[in-house]
Every structure is written in C-alpha cells, then in structure tokens.
C-alpha cells in the first residue's frame, strides 16, 4: 500500500511562514517539500524511579541469576504501556501528499499552499510562526483569537478556506494565539472540509541559554500548552508537536501509543542547534517509534534577527531520510508508503520485545479519562 505524497513549505522569513526564523515579515515564502504517509506506530519508555544506584545494582545481580528461559517468559509487552497501546488504525488513504505575511504573509502562504496542492499534495505542513516575526516583541502584536475566527484570526480563516477549496488537509504550522490574557504558540489542523479538527498549543517552551551562542526565552510572553494532540484526518492519524516539542521523546511515544501514523513538527531550529540536532532528533523519533516524521522549517535568512537552519525533512520508520531540502527556498516531493511501517515493525519487532515487567510508558491523561 502506498501512501500519499506530502509537501512542506518553509519560508525565508519567519514573519511570513514557517518556523523560528525571526525576521520582519516578508512576501517571499521559503520552500516546500512533500511527503506521503502510510500507517504504523509504537512507543515505549522506561519510568524513572527513585531507587538508589546501589539498589538497582542489587536488582540486576539478582536477575542475573535467573535462567534464560525464565527471563524470556518474563517479557510482558502488553504491560509496557498504561493504558495499553491503541491498535493502529487502518490508513484512510493509500497515498498522501504534504506541503506548506500579516496580509502579505498570509497571501504568500496561500500561494505556496495552492502550488503544492497543484503538484498533487494532499497534506500541507507549514512552519512555526509563519505569519509573524519570531520574537517576543512580535508575538503580542501578531496574536490572533483563533476561537473567535473570522476577522479576529485572518491566518486561520485563510487556512480553513483553502483547505476546503482544494480538498486538502493542512497542518497549519503555528501562529501566536491570544486566549483571554494569555498567549500561546499554536498549530491548527484543518480537514479537507475546511473545519478545524484540532489545535495544538506548544507544550515545551523554547527557553535556552547557550553562552556566546543563543539565548531565547519564549516563556517571557508565551504560556505552555497542556495537552498532547492526536488527530484523525483524511490522510491518517497525526500526532502534532511544535519545534522544541521534538526534543521530548515521551511525547512522541504517547503519540505512537495512541495510534499515530505520522508525527508533524513545524519548527525552526537555529544555526547553533540545527546542524547538530535537527536531523538527529527527527530520525530518533521516527526510528524509536517506527513511524513517519515530517518537519517544516523556514528557509534561511542571514539578515534575520533569528536565523533558521532550514532543512525541512521527511523521515521514514527505519530512521531513513526520505526527502529533505537544503536551506534555500525549494519544493521537494516524496512518496510515503505506510506498508513500510508494518514491514519495519515485523522485521525489527521491538513492540513485542518491550519489557513490561521492568518499565512502562504511562499516558496520564488517557489513564485518567
């Protein structure tokens, strides 16, 4: 079974399109790439415990005295997640295509989405903070009331309309959202009918200080989200994170346990962490969970206050890079085959090898519900 093609659009200017590139807006949008997906999932994570090192060492010594047959019989993969993992749903389509300031950004973003759809994209992914410069000073000024919609949120109104007209699914990067007296970094997911299917508020805020390199504190203006986001769409079940969320493997594992086929991370890694970690983290999330990972970044703008690394990428369930851009504006198309998830999970059956007798991934929200 082959899944559709998808495309990611990134932008040179943070203000107008996708990721963390902090520059005033622009009417040029970075680049797009495509991905396709099929289905599959799997996560696992050991729980932290308060056992001292000496106690843990003692336990290992005791276990070492057991026979191989006893150890093998102690495997309890069905107990490695609490609650148990949700069965992977059947992909609703066999093939998919994925893509990607205020007024100029919105108009240009729309143009790029239309271009991606014309090339066959069924899923379009935009970058982080695509309608605004990426800066704490800009977030309040560009924030929109997404729940009110219409004129109160022109960015999401455009995404809704174009998704409906083109009959595509859009993972709308992220925009600054105003809700009451709080601001969020929010990604909206629109179905092919133009309806808002889900809203993901960035859970892990980008607060870092690397001496002599980069300092940024999103928490100065933004509030962290509280809810993992998994949404069923015409192109499969998607788990959504925003940029810094990709660093936290527990979130990806929860998404996999909830049956996600694909993880989408609009983001904008910078010139310090991008070269080291951007591709590494994408491949790790994909390989750990044996599913597809799509990221969308702005193209690099050396004149911007925040310079994005670029390199929008699609990674397969074996951790292989299937498609990627460099740092310039570009459009790339690639096909995803969901059956590869089944193949990878069969040939490397980590889901059946989870040690439920030793560790668990606990999805607190699902457990409580």
């Amino acid at each position: 079974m082959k899944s559709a093609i998808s495309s990611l659009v990134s932008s040179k200017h943070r203000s107008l399109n996708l990721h963390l590139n902090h520059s005033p807006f622009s009417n040029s949008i970075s680049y797009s790439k495509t991905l396709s997906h099929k289905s599959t999932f799997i996560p696992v994570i050991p729980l932290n415990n308060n056992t001292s090192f000496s106690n843990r060492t003692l336990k290992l010594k005791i276990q070492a005295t057991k026979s191989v047959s006893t150890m093998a019989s102690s495997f309890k993969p069905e107990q490695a997640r609490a609650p148990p993992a949700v069965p992977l749903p059947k992909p609703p389509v066999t093939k998919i295509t994925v893509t990607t300031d205020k007024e100029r950004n919105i108009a240009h973003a729309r143009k790029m989405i239309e271009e991606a759809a014309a090339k066959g994209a069924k899923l379009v992914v935009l970058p982080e903070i695509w309608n605004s410069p990426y800066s704490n000073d800009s977030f309040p000024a560009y924030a929109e009331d997404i729940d009110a919609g219409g004129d109160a949120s022109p960015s999401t109104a455009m995404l809704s309309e174009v998704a409906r007209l083109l009959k595509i699914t859009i993972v709308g990067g992220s925009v600054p959202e105003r809700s009451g007296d709080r601001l969020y970094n929010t990604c909206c997911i629109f179905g092919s009918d133009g309806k808002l299917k889900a809203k993901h508020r960035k859970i892990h805020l980008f607060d870092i200080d690397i001496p002599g390199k980069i300092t940024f504190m999103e928490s100065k203006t933004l509030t962290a989200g509280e809810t993992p986001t998994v949404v069923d769409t015409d192109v499969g079940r998607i788990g959504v994170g925003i940029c810094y969320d990709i660093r936290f493997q527990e979130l990806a594992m929860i998404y996999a346990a909830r049956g996600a086929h694909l993880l989408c991370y609009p983001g904008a890694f910078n010139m310090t962490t991008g070269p080291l970690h951007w591709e590494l983290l994408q491949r790790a999330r994909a390989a750990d969970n044996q599913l597809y990972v799509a990221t969308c970044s702005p193209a690099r703008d050396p004149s911007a206050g925040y310079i994005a690394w670029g390199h929008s990428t699609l990674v397969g369930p074996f951790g292989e890079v299937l498609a990627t851009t460099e740092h310039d504006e570009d459009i790339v198309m690639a096909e995803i085959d969901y059956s590869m998830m089944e193949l990878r999970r069969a040939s490397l059956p980590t889901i059946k090898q989870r040690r439920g007798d030793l560790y668990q991934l606990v999805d607190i929200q699902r457990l409580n519900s």
Side-chain angles (χ1 to χ4, degrees):
M1 297 167 58
K2 296 210 166 174
S3 98
I5 303 166
S6 20
S7 109
L8 306 170
V9 175
S10 54
S11 155
K12 190 175 243 183
H13 299 95
R14 199 49 149 141
S15 62
L16 39 129
N17 333 325
L18 353 160
H19 258 326
L20 286 178
N21 205 358
H22 312 292
S23 73
F25 12 32
S26 155
N27 59 355
S28 64
I29 200 160
S30 115
Y31 53 88
S32 67
K33 91 177 335 189
T34 52
L35 335 168
S36 23
H37 341 332
K38 251 199 165 233
S39 56
T40 301
F41 81 86
I42 271 192
V44 184
I45 182 171
L47 293 177
N48 291 328
N49 60 51
N50 297 320
T51 307
S52 66
F53 180 79
S54 60
N55 285 341
R56 278 181 279 155
T57 303
L58 177 61
K59 284 184 177 179
L60 289 174
K61 289 179 178 177
I62 292 173
Q63 291 172 350
T65 64
K66 298 180 180 179
S67 67
V68 174
S69 60
T70 302
M71 287 295 289
S73 65
S74 68
F75 277 43
K76 299 178 180 178
E78 72 283 356
Q79 295 181 15
R81 298 177 184 81
V86 172
L88 188 68
K90 182 179 180 180
V93 297
T94 56
K95 292 193 175 183
I96 308 167
T97 311
V98 185
T99 343
T100 255
D101 30 11
K102 243 150 150 194
E103 290 181 0
R104 288 170 62 187
N105 286 349
I106 293 172
H108 196 66
R110 178 171 187 147
K111 178 182 177 182
M112 295 301 291
I113 294 171
E114 291 172 341
E115 181 179 344
K119 293 175 181 288
K122 295 300 180 184
L123 170 65
V124 176
V125 181
L126 279 67
E128 182 183 19
I129 307 295
W130 59 269
N131 69 343
S132 160
Y134 186 84
S135 72
N136 279 314
D137 290 339
S138 298
F139 295 152
Y142 287 80
E144 300 182 1
D145 186 342
I146 294 172
D147 291 338
D151 292 341
S153 185
S155 299
T156 60
M158 179 276 286
L159 296 178
S160 173
E161 180 182 23
V162 77
R164 176 178 57 81
L165 292 175
L166 300 178
K167 304 248 182 318
I168 59 175
T169 298
I170 297 179
V171 176
S174 75
V175 300
E177 177 196 11
R178 184 181 301 281
S179 180
D181 59 354
R182 295 184 176 183
L183 297 177
Y184 297 93
N185 186 342
T186 302
C187 176
C188 293
I189 300 89
F190 291 92
S192 56
D193 56 1
K195 294 182 179 179
L196 178 64
K197 299 187 71 68
K199 200 167 65 167
H200 178 77
R201 290 170 170 168
K202 191 174 187 176
I203 294 174
H204 306 93
L205 296 184
F206 182 60
D207 284 4
I208 68 166
D209 183 8
I210 302 176
K213 295 290 186 178
I214 182 172
T215 298
F216 199 93
M217 298 289 167
E218 279 189 328
S219 61
K220 284 185 177 180
T221 55
L222 302 176
T223 299
E226 299 291 338
T227 307
T229 305
V230 177
V231 55
D232 285 313
T233 73
D234 290 345
V235 295
R237 183 169 293 178
I238 300 174
V240 182
I242 298 175
C243 202
Y244 204 56
D245 284 339
I246 199 174
R247 288 191 177 274
F248 300 88
Q249 65 268 39
E250 298 87 347
L251 181 62
M253 291 174 176
I254 284 175
Y255 288 161
R258 292 185 183 184
H261 301 116
L262 166 73
L263 305 184
C264 289
Y265 294 98
F269 270 49
N270 53 72
M271 296 298 293
T272 298
T273 60
L276 290 171
H277 298 156
W278 180 235
E279 181 181 300
L280 173 68
L281 290 167
Q282 296 173 62
R283 296 182 68 188
R285 298 296 83 84
D288 287 348
N289 300 290
Q290 295 176 305
L291 41 60
Y292 285 91
V293 171
T295 62
C296 187
S297 167
R300 192 178 308 168
D301 179 5
S303 67
Y306 180 98
I307 304 175
W309 169 242
H311 297 268
S312 295
T313 304
L314 171 66
V315 179
F318 221 42
E320 71 277 30
V321 175
L322 298 175
T324 185
T325 60
E326 294 298 326
H327 60 272
D328 295 323
E329 295 182 357
D330 196 5
I331 294 179
V332 177
M333 302 287 289
E335 188 171 273
I336 293 178
D337 188 342
Y338 278 141
S339 67
M340 291 304 297
M341 296 172 68
E342 301 161 8
L343 176 62
R344 297 310 185 193
R345 291 180 180 187
S347 59
L348 190 65
T350 54
I351 189 170
K352 298 178 181 178
Q353 298 166 336
R354 306 289 187 191
R355 290 299 302 273
D357 54 318
L358 299 179
Y359 52 77
Q360 284 185 329
L361 166 68
V362 180
D363 187 339
I364 302 297
Q365 291 183 339
R366 193 157 65 93
L367 190 66
N368 292 339
S369 65

